[in-house]
Amino acid sequence: FCGECTSTPDEVCDGKDNDCDGKTDESPDIGQGEPCENQKGVCQGSRKRCKAGKWVCNAATLEDWKWQYETTETACDDLDNDCDGLTDEPAECCEPQCAGKDCGPDGCGGQCGSCGDGFCMASDCVDKGYEAWSFLVEGYTITSTPAVAADGTVFVTTDFPFQLVAIKPDGSKKWSVTAPQNESFGHHVAGPNGVVVVRTTNGVAGYGTASGDLRWVSGYALDDFVLWSDGGIVGTMKGGADEYKLVALDGNGPERWTVQLGSAADMWFWSHPVIGSDGTVYVGAPDNRLHAVTAKGKEKWTSKELGALDDGAAAIAADGTIYVGTGDIMDEGGGPLYALAPANGSVKWTYDTGEGVAAWPVVGPDGTIVVAVPGGVQAVTPAGKKKWACDVGDNVYEAPAVTRHGIVLVGAYGKVVAVDPDGKVMWEFQTGVDSPLVLDSDGYLYVNYSTGSGSHLRVLDVSSGAGSPWPMWAHDARLAGHFTGADGAAPW
């Protein structure tokens, strides 16, 4: 109390007139309180006020601190008025964010659009697959995987008669040429410089894509082959009962180099070579090993014995890792998936599907590896762990493809099945499938199948195109087999 001491006491927040001036808890004599507990939004910097002899921080003191403070936010002023860490919470304040989006959340509790009976994936509407057009080859059979040139022209080969057929992007015939006498056509690549390169019985030949004019002929009877970006050709070749070779040719047929890949070749052995970003060629051989050969024809390394590499092709990831499946899916012979280091071919990891076969690996946009197994497909993480398995209810005898949205397209017996990135079936389209699935960047899927009256080339619009490191067998719709980067673009 006043007068108890010889000196005047300081004023403090206690509800008393400590300094005997007739006032209680007056400011600024009592100083500032501690910072309020909540320092979010407009409450940032606020301090407690002395009320009824106690330091408090309540709505009244916060309103004194900032006039914009609201116990329940109602203002649309770009401020966190109620200090809860959120700005402009009332629904009327929210501006939907739908620019460049077909579908998906708008950021305000609503949606940016409807995909009807389609699917919303990464803000894009993806439709169920439907037939865009088909081309009937009457009376005879398509014998090759379709190859699609940059202008959309599709090339297939047939038997009886043996022809190379060019089909326009609208499904009408562009031209056809008949194979030379006593020869047949087979595997082909839609190459650069307006040339489609075709395997014949006795060699390889180049035809102009515009009119089918013969440009050149080479006597090297390659089995499967791919192209470098300069048009050069590299493929496997059987040189007799005891030889299996990798042969490189110039773009018009002359030899560049030859590398022996082993002896005692099985005359029925086929392995499709692929090319890495540095020009290294990776190819399986009858010795059950993957061989790496430089662009100049020098053997770089040979892997350990892996297992059956027949009728398969490796896939290459964005970091250069090589994935190769083993086993024969036609007779369900066993074999795991291997991940090999590009520097020396050492095994980084091995994945066992549990179903005996890991065939035709492809790589999705997030690095997920998908392999065919006898009854469906399995997805594997880049670390070699199982991600999911999908049984499509039928036998799978051809290589799958994967879209830029991570949708896996599977060619099963009598249908194409679309599987979402979580391993769930999205839709099915009834059709025969007689070759690896080919997917272009515009979202058209090319499928050929034989019927009793000939063969159909069927083109499905799946509305999600290729766009991953290795989206399909032979890498791209040109069938170039040449790694070009993380988006799976064709090399020309």
Side-chain angles (χ1 to χ4, degrees):
F1 296 99
C2 293
E4 289 184 353
C5 301
T6 57
S7 61
T8 303
D10 293 330
E11 189 75 9
V12 296
C13 180
D14 61 359
K16 299 177 182 179
D17 179 13
N18 306 97
D19 58 2
C20 306
D21 64 355
K23 301 176 183 178
T24 302
D25 296 343
E26 66 268 27
S27 177
D29 294 349
I30 57 174
Q32 289 187 322
E34 296 292 324
C36 291
E37 289 81 358
N38 186 352
Q39 292 288 314
K40 297 176 182 177
V42 298
C43 296
Q44 185 174 5
S46 62
R47 290 178 173 270
K48 294 180 179 180
R49 299 288 178 89
C50 184
K51 300 290 184 181
K54 294 182 180 180
W55 291 106
V56 297
C57 189
N58 55 27
T61 59
L62 290 171
E63 286 173 359
D64 288 344
W65 166 252
K66 288 282 186 182
W67 65 268
Q68 296 101 328
Y69 175 79
E70 297 179 311
T71 54
T72 301
E73 190 159 4
T74 63
C76 299
D77 57 1
D78 266 345
L79 297 175
D80 175 12
N81 303 90
D82 58 0
C83 305
D84 66 350
L86 302 174
T87 300
D88 291 347
E89 296 167 74
E92 59 268 22
C93 298
C94 189
E95 294 184 13
Q97 303 297 312
C98 290
K101 298 171 67 175
D102 294 335
C103 58
D106 64 3
C108 297
Q111 295 293 315
C112 286
S114 171
C115 295
D117 62 353
F119 306 89
C120 185
M121 308 193 74
S123 300
D124 295 331
C125 283
V126 176
D127 297 328
K128 295 179 180 179
Y130 65 91
E131 185 174 283
W133 55 264
S134 66
F135 181 85
L136 174 63
V137 180
E138 295 188 52
Y140 44 104
T141 302
I142 295 174
T143 57
S144 63
T145 302
V148 187
D151 65 357
T153 301
V154 188
F155 303 95
V156 295
T157 60
T158 67
D159 63 5
F160 306 111
F162 296 107
Q163 291 188 330
L164 172 66
V165 182
I167 305 163
K168 296 178 182 178
D170 63 2
S172 61
K173 184 175 179 179
K174 185 174 183 179
W175 52 257
S176 64
V177 295
T178 302
Q181 189 175 8
N182 299 322
E183 292 192 15
S184 62
F185 287 136
H187 173 70
H188 55 285
V189 178
N193 306 317
V195 175
V196 56
V197 182
V198 191
R199 181 183 73 221
T200 72
T201 305
N202 300 313
V204 289
Y207 288 86
T209 58
S211 61
D213 57 304
L214 181 63
R215 301 288 182 86
W216 52 264
V217 177
S218 172
Y220 286 84
L222 302 181
D223 295 330
D224 276 350
F225 58 85
V226 291
L227 304 184
W228 277 292
S229 296
D230 65 358
I233 306 159
V234 59
T236 55
M237 180 176 173
K238 300 177 181 70
D242 295 324
E243 286 188 332
Y244 192 75
K245 299 184 289 188
L246 187 67
V247 180
L249 310 176
D250 282 334
N252 57 357
E255 181 181 317
R256 290 184 179 180
W257 47 257
T258 298
V259 174
Q260 181 77 22
L261 293 180
S263 60
D266 176 357
M267 293 305 291
W268 295 105
F269 181 88
W270 296 71
S271 183
H272 194 81
V274 298
I275 304 174
S277 59
D278 62 353
T280 300
V281 183
Y282 303 101
V283 63
D287 60 3
N288 292 337
R289 303 172 190 271
L290 192 73
H291 295 251
V293 179
T294 70
K296 294 185 177 180
K298 303 296 182 183
E299 187 138 17
K300 187 175 179 180
W301 49 255
T302 301
S303 76
K304 73 169 193 175
E305 190 169 344
L306 303 176
L309 300 174
D310 194 10
D311 196 28
I316 302 173
D319 65 357
T321 299
I322 305 129
Y323 301 115
V324 58
T326 57
D328 187 345
I329 204 166
M330 296 297 287
D331 63 16
E332 300 186 16
L337 173 70
Y338 288 91
L340 305 180
N344 55 17
S346 60
V347 176
K348 298 174 72 172
W349 49 256
T350 303
Y351 173 78
D352 186 354
T353 68
E355 297 190 49
V357 175
W360 310 304
V362 297
V363 183
D366 62 352
T368 296
I369 310 101
V370 179
V371 292
V373 295
V377 286
Q378 290 191 19
V380 185
T381 70
K385 305 299 182 184
K386 184 175 182 178
K387 190 172 183 180
W388 51 257
C390 180
D391 186 340
V392 299
D394 230 324
N395 292 327
V396 175
Y397 291 139
E398 300 295 347
V402 61
T403 79
R404 63 186 178 88
H405 291 98
I407 301 169
V408 180
L409 302 166
V410 188
Y413 184 79
K415 61 186 176 183
V416 170
V417 182
V419 181
D420 74 13
D422 295 320
K424 308 298 183 183
V425 172
M426 299 171 65
W427 52 261
E428 297 181 359
F429 187 93
Q430 301 302 309
T431 181
V433 181
D434 289 339
S435 68
L437 298 182
V438 174
L439 178 69
D440 70 16
S441 59
D442 294 324
Y444 290 100
L445 185 73
Y446 300 82
V447 182
N448 66 261
Y449 72 100
S450 300
T451 66
S453 58
S455 283
H456 282 272
L457 172 65
R458 209 162 195 173
V459 180
L460 307 184
D461 187 343
V462 298
S463 70
S464 180
S468 67
W470 202 273
M472 68 200 85
W473 177 86
H475 182 264
D476 53 73
R478 319 285 195 267
L479 307 187
H482 191 163
F483 178 82
T484 54
D487 62 355
W492 50 78

